[in-house]
Amino acid sequence: LFANDLEGTISPAIGKMEQLLALGLGENDLSGPLPSELDSCSLLQFLEVADNSIDGSIPAYALGVMEDLESVDLSDNEMTGIIDGVMFGSDKLRRLTLQNNDFSGALPEEIGNAQALGEFTHSTCSLYRATVYMVLSLTTIFSLLAYPRP
């Protein structure tokens, strides 16, 4: 459903898709928060909602229970709040892209548990201070991009 001119919000009914493996809704006109009902999609491996107008915070608990989650791209939205450590519950998380949102606070220490994380991208200045120290402790990191905010 990538780049299909979809409008509106992501329905909480998404939670009924318990066998869903990939959700690609990038480059649409979606708004509103990510529904917490995503936690019912426990088999989800890829979540990509970049380039929309998604707002609110990351439903950290929902992402934290997805043990097979490999790739999360929330970039270029209007998301706020802190990055909760529980979202690093998947030991398979390889890619986390958060740039061009308005997250605040420090990056949680739990990012050190994401040993498979190979790519981490963000552009929130308030996260940057902690990023270098915590992310460099990951042995698999191959790409660390921390763009300055415009």
Side-chain angles (χ1 to χ4, degrees), residues 32-39 47 49 54-66 69 72 74 79-80 82-84 86-88 103:
L34 288 176
S36 61
E37 288 81 1
L38 276 171
D39 67 355
L47 173 62
V49 294
I54 304 293
D55 59 22
S57 61
I58 298 173
Y61 176 75
L63 298 184
V65 298
M66 296 176 185
L69 199 57
V72 177
L74 306 176
M79 299 187 77
T80 59
I82 63 168
I83 308 298
D84 194 311
V86 73
M87 77 175 285
F88 297 101
F103 296 115

Side-chain angles (χ1 to χ4, degrees), residues 10-18 20 35 37-38 40-41:
I10 300 171
S11 171
I14 192 88
K16 294 182 180 180
M17 301 177 76
E18 296 174 358
L20 188 66
E37 288 81 1
L38 276 171
S40 296
C41 303

Side-chain angles (χ1 to χ4, degrees), residues 127-150:
L127 292 177
Y128 182 72
R129 292 177 304 210
T131 300
V132 174
Y133 299 109
M134 287 185 212
V135 176
L136 289 180
S137 70
L138 299 171
T139 57
T140 57
I141 199 81
F142 65 85
S143 177
L144 170 61
L145 303 173
Y147 301 106
R149 285 198 78 118

Side-chain angles (χ1 to χ4, degrees), residues 93-105:
L93 186 64
R94 296 181 294 116
R95 180 175 176 258
L96 179 60
T97 308
L98 304 174
Q99 81 257 14
N100 297 324
N101 281 288
D102 198 20
F103 296 115
S104 60

Side-chain angles (χ1 to χ4, degrees), residues 108-131:
E109 291 180 19
E110 289 87 349
I111 193 172
N113 298 334
Q115 290 302 310
L117 190 62
E119 180 180 346
F120 177 67
T121 309
H122 76 81
S123 64
T124 306
C125 295
S126 59
L127 292 177
Y128 182 72
R129 292 177 304 210
T131 300

